[in-house]
Amino acid sequence: MDLKNKRVCIIGCGNLGKSILNGLVDDTDYPSEHIIATKRSLAAIESYEAHGVRITTDNVWAVGESDVIIVAVKPYKVLSVLNDIKEHLNPEKHTVISLATNVHVNELQEALPANLPIFRAMPNTAADVKESMTSICHNEAGLSELKTVQYFFDKIGTSIIINEELMDAATVLGSCGTAFVLRFIRAMVQGGIQIGLDSKTATAIVNQTVKGAADLLIERGNHPEFEIDKVTTPKGCTILGLNEMEHNGLSSSLIKGIVTSYDKIS
Ligand SMILES: NC(=O)c1ccc[n+]([C@@H]2O[C@H](COP(=O)([O-])OP(=O)(O)OC[C@H]3O[C@@H](n4cnc5c(N)ncnc54)[C@H](OP(=O)(O)O)[C@@H]3O)[C@@H](O)[C@H]2O)c1
């Protein structure tokens, strides 16, 4: 089947579900009519009907109309939602993808019919602008549906397949990481204001500088230190500022924060 003919439902269109919905609706290749969005209270997603998306409170109906089921409810609700839909799932037709942190593939398998392709995916909120980093793992049956699942997540950014043991670490870097980078950006802007820029100008400079630095690494595949060496003239202002940040624990505090998040999640 041409992958764009696969129909998808997003069960639980809250923050993350809506980010994925936005990414798919904006995609000119994928028909919005193939998307169903569910939620118990529909007011916040009614506007998507104008794009052709079908919305409903009925998860069982949504499953019957879909091939790929993305479960985007809070982790503590995942198993009860799966319990409601499990009798309507067919391993020959359906693929289930859970976005819940810390609900493992074996728990999902126990709650669902045998031989069903089951995935865990960990996108981030940049799905909203098609720049998510999504880490994906799967059960044995999922091997046959890798292309399908990556097709959807690549529409909202970039995806990688990893072993499930690495999912917690990937969640800290890829999902908590959004907040870490945003706080770094905010601190840069505050520094910029202190040295004379207005907030709007500082924000424009910092946002594009961060994006450009990331693009340099993504497009060239270089090590960050290689790019840093290019900017740090001996005795110049960049190395002085950078070393002052390091004396105050920049790298160390980032690493400690990442490990603290990991200890909490795992
Ligand atoms: N936020 C992130 O960056 C991020 C990243 C990766 C993974 N995740 C995972 O994504 C999941 C969702 O997180 P979130 O921040 O998007 O949560 P959220 O904003 O609370 O969204 C969950 C939605 O599920 C709906 N819901 C609850 N019960 C339902 C049911 N029985 N049927 C259909 N819809 C139902 C709720 O709307 P109603 O009350 O109207 O039903 C709510 O809007 C979590 O499992 C989280 O671990 C989040």
Side-chain angles (χ1 to χ4, degrees):
M1 186 196 276
D2 187 340
L3 292 176
K4 73 174 168 212
N5 292 328
K6 293 258 184 187
R7 295 165 307 158
V8 64
C9 72
I10 303 170
I11 295 184
C13 270
N15 292 320
L16 190 62
K18 268 209 297 194
S19 293
I20 295 172
L21 189 55
N22 288 337
L24 292 178
V25 164
D26 282 351
D27 191 279
T28 47
D29 271 350
Y30 187 72
S32 296
E33 293 72 20
H34 287 185
I35 308 170
I36 299 178
T38 91
K39 210 173 167 297
R40 291 168 308 175
S41 151
L42 295 176
I45 55 172
E46 267 166 7
S47 60
Y48 292 94
E49 281 186 306
H51 298 274
V53 174
R54 288 174 290 165
I55 64 169
T56 180
T57 56
D58 186 345
N59 294 335
V60 169
W61 175 79
V63 164
E65 291 286 305
S66 305
D67 304 296
V68 176
I69 293 130
I70 299 177
V71 182
V73 295
K74 291 281 191 209
Y76 71 92
K77 287 200 170 152
V78 168
L79 293 179
S80 79
V81 164
L82 294 183
N83 194 42
D84 292 342
I85 63 172
K86 70 178 178 198
E87 281 168 21
H88 307 272
L89 290 168
N90 172 2
E92 302 298 315
K93 170 180 156 115
H94 291 117
T95 295
V96 170
I97 307 166
S98 163
L99 307 184
T101 315
N102 252 335
V103 180
H104 296 97
V105 166
N106 63 346
E107 292 173 80
L108 300 168
Q109 273 190 158
E110 278 168 23
L112 292 170
N115 302 321
L116 190 81
I118 296 171
F119 288 76
R120 285 178 64 193
M122 192 50 62
N124 62 36
T125 47
D128 226 8
V129 289
K130 293 176 178 279
E131 291 287 354
S132 174
M133 179 68 232
T134 307
S135 300
I136 298 170
C137 65
H138 57 91
N139 68 348
E140 183 85 17
L143 266 176
S144 61
E145 294 300 327
L146 279 180
K147 277 194 182 146
T148 306
V149 173
Q150 282 202 283
Y151 169 81
F152 284 105
F153 286 103
D154 286 349
K155 289 202 172 298
I156 54 162
T158 302
S159 65
I160 49 167
I161 307 289
I162 60 172
N163 288 331
E164 188 171 26
E165 306 86 80
L166 298 174
M167 210 60 182
D168 289 342
T171 302
V172 171
L173 282 193
S175 293
C176 310
T178 302
F180 302 155
V181 173
L182 290 173
R183 182 57 65 79
F184 166 83
I185 288 174
R186 196 192 71 161
M188 289 270 287
V189 170
Q190 287 180 321
I193 295 170
Q194 189 168 343
I195 59 175
L197 295 160
D198 64 77
S199 166
K200 199 173 161 202
T201 310
T203 301
I205 293 172
V206 173
N207 287 356
Q208 181 56 38
T209 302
V210 169
K211 186 168 186 286
D215 282 349
L216 269 179
L217 301 183
I218 291 167
E219 284 175 27
R220 303 258 165 87
N222 289 336
H223 191 281
E225 216 57 42
F226 176 79
E227 296 295 339
I228 288 173
D229 280 347
K230 288 191 202 165
V231 195
T232 45
T233 310
K235 287 192 171 180
C237 63
T238 310
I239 192 64
L240 285 178
L242 202 52
N243 284 348
E244 180 65 17
M245 290 175 198
E246 290 299 355
H247 293 318
N248 285 289
L250 176 68
S251 294
S252 170
S253 76
L254 280 169
I255 294 165
K256 280 184 176 173
I258 286 167
V259 173
T260 300
S261 291
Y262 181 75
D263 287 345
K264 172 72 182 166
I265 205 176
S266 55

